[in-house]
Amino acid sequence: SDLAFLPEMPLETGAAVTHELPDSSRFVIGSYNIRYAVGQRLISSGIFRKVNLNFPRHRNDAVEKNIRLAADAFTQGAICPPLDVLALQEADKATARSGGRHVARELAERLGMSWVHAPAGIPRGQLPKTREWWLDFEEQIGLNDPGDTGVALLSRSPLHDLARIDLPWTECPWRPRLAVAATVQFGQQPVRILNAHIDPHSAGDGQIEQLEVVLAEAEKFSGATVLLGDFNTLSQQKCLDTRQLIESRGFTTPFPTGTPTWRGAGIRLHADWIFVRNARIGRWGVARPLSASDHWPVWAEVEVR
């Protein structure tokens, strides 16, 4: 199978001093493809690398600055309400491209949150296959880089019942895709949260196949559920197909199809989503400006029924 050569990739966790939220029926959740906290210029930085100019030059300092910018954005209330839960994608751990920093852990520490990180399990020493030209701007993790990337959940309340969800992937075997799930207790209300990073290489049917696996995991929980993440719906049709599938399973979202959450070279696309089931969303939005990534965070105030 596609996953046969992957080693067992255990979840990594860290605990902060957590507590029940003052209003146990309501919390604010966000999702952010942080792009290893290296900044917003995906396309121009990719062009520079092709002529051997690798920016930013001082990765450690640049990534630390962007982690600090993100932490300020998620606590100060200027571009979104202070977050109680945060889902991260492209959260690198000790890669050269992230300056050796552990992005999820360091951001969680700044936010005073507990965290779980699910590493992708990048295969070592295997050349990535040829990709679409428009995906070739991403900076790859080195063939023998000891670091990794992955998805993470950060929370002001303790995280329970953690689960790694490996997704089917064939079109880019060098880059595994996955999701992570956890239950967060808000007073007497347990809420299941699933954070997914769907493959941008796949055609629509490949993305639907990955989402079906995440939805199957969501079906194991009958209470309030939040499904969010970077679904890489980089066309109108993918937006429509993704939304139709998830809403057919009882989820809802207030985000209009086509809401810009990613930008590059003057283009704006809708990649990031928040859906809920057995809960409702009051306020919601896209947190901008924020320059730590080529994505903007999405956020929602969730009320448990």
Side-chain angles (χ1 to χ4, degrees), residues 28 45 55 79 95 97 104 111 115 124 131 172 223-224 249 265-266:
V28 180
S45 63
F55 294 108
I79 61 174
T95 61
R97 70 182 187 180
L111 293 171
W115 57 276
R124 311 299 179 198
R131 310 184 306 163
C172 184
R249 307 301 169 83

Side-chain angles (χ1 to χ4, degrees), residues 151-224:
V151 294
L153 283 170
L154 286 57
S155 175
R156 287 178 55 203
S157 293
L159 296 159
H160 305 286
D161 302 324
L162 308 178
R164 173 193 175 94
I165 308 161
D166 287 297
L167 306 182
W169 49 280
T170 57
E171 295 186 47
C172 184
W174 186 82
R175 177 69 182 272
R177 293 289 158 175
L178 74 159
V180 65
T183 300
V184 180
Q185 192 82 14
F186 295 102
Q188 300 301 312
Q189 298 288 345
V191 179
R192 191 66 170 166
I193 301 170
L194 301 99
N195 168 25
H197 190 193
I198 302 301
D199 191 356
H201 307 83
S202 291
D205 55 351
Q207 292 190 330
I208 294 300
E209 184 183 13
Q210 293 183 346
L211 285 167
E212 288 280 12
V213 173
V214 183
L215 288 165
E217 180 69 26
E219 288 300 321
K220 299 176 183 178
F221 189 80
S222 61

Side-chain angles (χ1 to χ4, degrees), residues 3-221:
L3 302 176
F5 64 87
L6 282 178
E8 288 293 325
M9 301 300 298
L11 299 174
E12 183 184 4
T13 61
V17 177
T18 53
H19 53 274
E20 291 183 2
L21 302 180
D23 182 347
S24 62
S25 68
R26 186 180 290 113
F27 62 95
V28 180
I29 190 168
S31 178
Y32 192 25
N33 182 325
I34 198 167
R35 195 191 160 224
Y36 36 99
V38 79
Q40 70 184 52
R41 302 190 184 281
L42 172 68
I43 294 176
S44 61
S45 63
I47 294 171
F48 280 130
R49 279 194 305 278
K50 291 181 184 297
V51 294
N52 296 317
L53 295 173
N54 201 353
F55 294 108
R57 293 187 183 277
H58 303 291
R59 290 302 177 97
N60 186 291
D61 294 340
V63 172
E64 181 183 30
K65 176 185 176 182
N66 285 326
I67 291 172
R68 185 171 66 251
L69 284 174
D72 290 345
F74 298 143
T75 55
Q76 293 179 353
I79 61 174
C80 66
L83 298 184
D84 302 307
V85 181
L86 173 61
L88 294 177
Q89 306 86 39
E90 294 193 27
D92 277 19
K93 173 186 175 182
T95 61
R97 70 182 187 180
S98 67
R101 310 195 78 95
H102 192 321
V103 174
R105 184 191 70 200
E106 293 183 34
L107 181 55
E109 289 172 349
R110 285 187 174 273
L111 293 171
M113 291 181 171
S114 292
W115 57 276
V116 55
H117 180 263
I122 298 293
R124 311 299 179 198
Q126 295 193 25
L127 287 170
K129 292 189 177 182
T130 302
R131 310 184 306 163
E132 297 91 337
W133 67 267
W134 50 272
L135 289 167
D136 198 33
F137 297 106
E138 179 188 4
E139 182 176 3
Q140 301 291 339
I141 296 174
L143 291 181
N144 296 295
D145 191 320
D148 207 342
T149 191
V151 294
L153 283 170
L154 286 57
S155 175
R156 287 178 55 203
S157 293
L159 296 159
H160 305 286
D161 302 324
L162 308 178
R164 173 193 175 94
I165 308 161
D166 287 297
L167 306 182
W169 49 280
T170 57
E171 295 186 47
C172 184
W174 186 82
R175 177 69 182 272
R177 293 289 158 175
L178 74 159
V180 65
T183 300
V184 180
Q185 192 82 14
F186 295 102
Q188 300 301 312
Q189 298 288 345
V191 179
R192 191 66 170 166
I193 301 170
L194 301 99
N195 168 25
H197 190 193
I198 302 301
D199 191 356
H201 307 83
S202 291
D205 55 351
Q207 292 190 330
I208 294 300
E209 184 183 13
Q210 293 183 346
L211 285 167
E212 288 280 12
V213 173
V214 183
L215 288 165
E217 180 69 26
E219 288 300 321
K220 299 176 183 178
F221 189 80

Side-chain angles (χ1 to χ4, degrees), residues 242-284:
T242 291
R243 182 173 194 140
Q244 182 180 27
L245 171 66
I246 297 175
E247 290 183 338
S248 74
R249 307 301 169 83
F251 286 88
T252 61
T253 181
F255 287 82
T257 300
T259 300
T261 68
W262 176 91
R263 81 284 203 193
I267 302 169
R268 296 188 175 193
L269 299 172
H270 189 173
D272 309 271
W273 297 79
I274 301 175
F275 290 86
V276 297
R277 185 173 63 193
N278 296 326
R280 65 177 297 274
I281 291 177
R283 296 181 298 159
W284 61 273

